[in-house]
Amino acid sequence: MATETVLPVIDISQADRAAVGKQLLDAASTLGFVFIEGSGFTADEVDVMFQLSKDFFAQPFEAKQEFQISAENRGYSCLGREVLDTAVGKSDPKEVFNFGQFLGGKAIQPLPQLFAQSEQTLDDFTRKAHAVCHKIQNLLALALEIDPAAGGETWFSDRHDLSKFSGSILRMLYYPALQGTELAGDPTADIRAGAHTDFGSMTLLFQRDGQAALEVLSPVTKQWTPIPALPARDSAACPPIVLNIADQLSFWSAGLLKSAVHRVKFPSLAIEGGKDRYSMAYFCHPADETLLEPMPSPLVQSRTGRGANAQETVITAKEHLARRLAAAYGWKK
């Protein structure tokens, strides 16, 4: 690709699955972020979803607020509602809408009319995103040499069964354009989503060309590294998707797989041009009752005293998520 990037670009549709799995493991065990191609998503599928997002966030506040976010992490969150960087305690100037699971093609939450009219489209997109995560999970399990007698390649994907309740979320995000006056006297005003790690096992991030803003804190250089929004090689395919490892997968692997700190910071060109930013994220979580116990991988079992290999009491994926949401929204656990 013409655009330079610090992240590798991995085509998960390649025939040599062992080689792809190793590439994914190398990326997941260093920065924890990678670009994914060969997902099967088309440009049209992603464009339709971004248009739905834009149409929803353009509605009056009162209409959106009728579906305000619940303790189950579903619904609309307004500007300043979410605090991702709990150490700083500053709320994020962004709007989001979270979709929980779709069971039998139907959302398990009330939907605004705009989304209810496109329920099948939303269900299809969510299922496709989950299937991409399953494919990546199987490739990682292959590279991790998970004991076949214990589940082998499907050890992760079996624990991410979409027919069971989980914390998996499809999130639409809107970052309103900044004005120059908003930056006066506040050096952090251009940070639109505070520094954080993701709560689940892995995240797929869909970005718009020309709306780059994601930054990752490199565990090597300890510097914030901008991640571009890459264009697609093929006009019919969606642009490369950003994949990042999240907390539960890092915990499971005793820290072998990295859940890196990242944030959204408006670049100067976006501020000068008065550009909004839209993105979509699919947060893939294990089924609620999944135990975050040591995984049967020789690469992980040797890492004693860390993550799942060090815990005295095994917790479930649901318990882990509840703790993180309580911190982000100020809810009681």
Side-chain angles (χ1 to χ4, degrees):
M1 290 187 176
T3 305
E4 293 185 2
T5 172
V6 296
L7 300 186
V9 182
I10 300 176
D11 184 349
I12 61 172
S13 67
Q14 295 179 72
D16 190 343
R17 298 179 67 253
V20 176
K22 185 179 185 309
Q23 291 172 15
L24 285 169
L25 180 57
D26 288 346
S29 58
T30 50
L31 188 59
F33 275 73
V34 63
F35 280 109
I36 295 297
E37 286 189 321
S39 66
F41 276 105
T42 67
D44 287 344
E45 286 172 328
V46 175
D47 287 345
V48 166
M49 291 290 291
F50 271 113
Q51 188 59 54
L52 276 174
S53 174
K54 190 173 184 179
D55 291 345
F56 172 75
F57 290 119
Q59 294 184 100
F61 171 77
E62 292 75 18
K64 294 179 287 189
Q65 190 66 359
E66 289 181 20
F67 299 87
Q68 61 183 300
I69 197 162
S70 66
E72 289 75 32
N73 200 28
R74 305 174 197 133
Y76 170 72
S77 178
C78 63
L79 287 168
R81 178 68 180 89
E82 188 175 68
V83 181
L84 287 178
D85 190 343
T86 54
V88 174
K90 182 178 179 180
S91 59
D92 295 342
K94 68 178 187 291
E95 297 181 49
V96 309
F97 193 93
N98 287 355
F99 300 90
Q101 291 168 276
F102 292 78
L103 299 179
K106 299 295 181 182
I108 61 174
Q109 70 196 80
L111 292 179
Q113 184 178 7
L114 174 69
F115 293 146
Q117 293 171 344
S118 299
E119 195 166 29
Q120 186 63 59
T121 299
L122 292 163
D123 179 30
D124 290 345
F125 192 90
T126 300
R127 290 183 178 278
K128 196 163 187 174
H130 201 81
V132 171
C133 291
H134 268 193
K135 188 169 187 175
I136 294 167
Q137 289 159 5
N138 291 347
L139 289 165
L140 281 173
L142 177 64
L144 285 166
E145 303 172 17
I146 290 182
D147 185 355
E153 285 188 32
T154 62
W155 194 87
F156 290 124
S157 54
D158 288 345
R159 288 159 174 75
H160 290 76
D161 186 344
L162 196 59
S163 69
K164 298 179 179 179
F165 284 107
S166 78
S168 293
I169 290 290
L170 173 64
R171 166 173 276 200
M172 293 177 171
L173 299 106
Y174 167 51
Y175 302 90
L178 283 170
Q179 304 297 324
T181 53
E182 294 181 68
L183 300 175
D186 185 356
T188 66
D190 59 348
I191 296 176
R192 313 308 275 167
H196 66 286
T197 55
D198 290 346
F199 304 163
S201 57
M202 59 179 56
T203 303
L204 301 179
L205 176 67
F206 299 80
Q207 302 186 99
R208 298 272 78 183
D209 192 12
Q211 295 185 14
L214 177 66
E215 294 185 339
V216 179
L217 185 62
S218 169
V220 178
T221 66
K222 307 302 180 184
Q223 300 294 316
W224 287 104
T225 304
I227 305 301
L230 297 183
R233 292 182 189 268
D234 178 353
S235 60
C238 80
I241 301 166
V242 179
L243 163 73
N244 68 273
I245 302 301
D247 290 347
Q248 291 184 8
L249 199 52
S250 182
F251 181 81
W252 247 339
S253 65
L256 174 62
L257 307 183
K258 309 301 183 189
S259 179
V261 175
H262 52 285
R263 68 185 183 186
V264 173
K265 182 177 180 181
F266 265 23
S268 57
L269 288 177
I271 296 171
E272 293 167 7
K275 287 186 177 181
D276 294 331
R277 170 180 161 87
Y278 294 89
S279 63
M280 290 185 297
Y282 182 69
F283 299 105
C284 186
H285 287 247
D288 282 347
E289 302 312 313
T290 300
L291 297 176
L292 301 183
E293 57 191 354
M295 67 174 64
S297 159
L299 281 69
V300 174
Q301 289 171 340
S302 62
R303 299 173 66 84
T304 58
R306 308 181 190 185
N309 293 354
Q311 63 180 343
E312 296 181 1
T313 303
V314 178
I315 63 172
T316 66
K318 185 177 182 179
E319 289 169 335
H320 181 279
L321 176 60
R323 295 175 185 179
R324 294 300 303 275
L325 289 174
Y329 288 101
W331 290 320
K332 292 184 179 180
K333 298 177 185 177

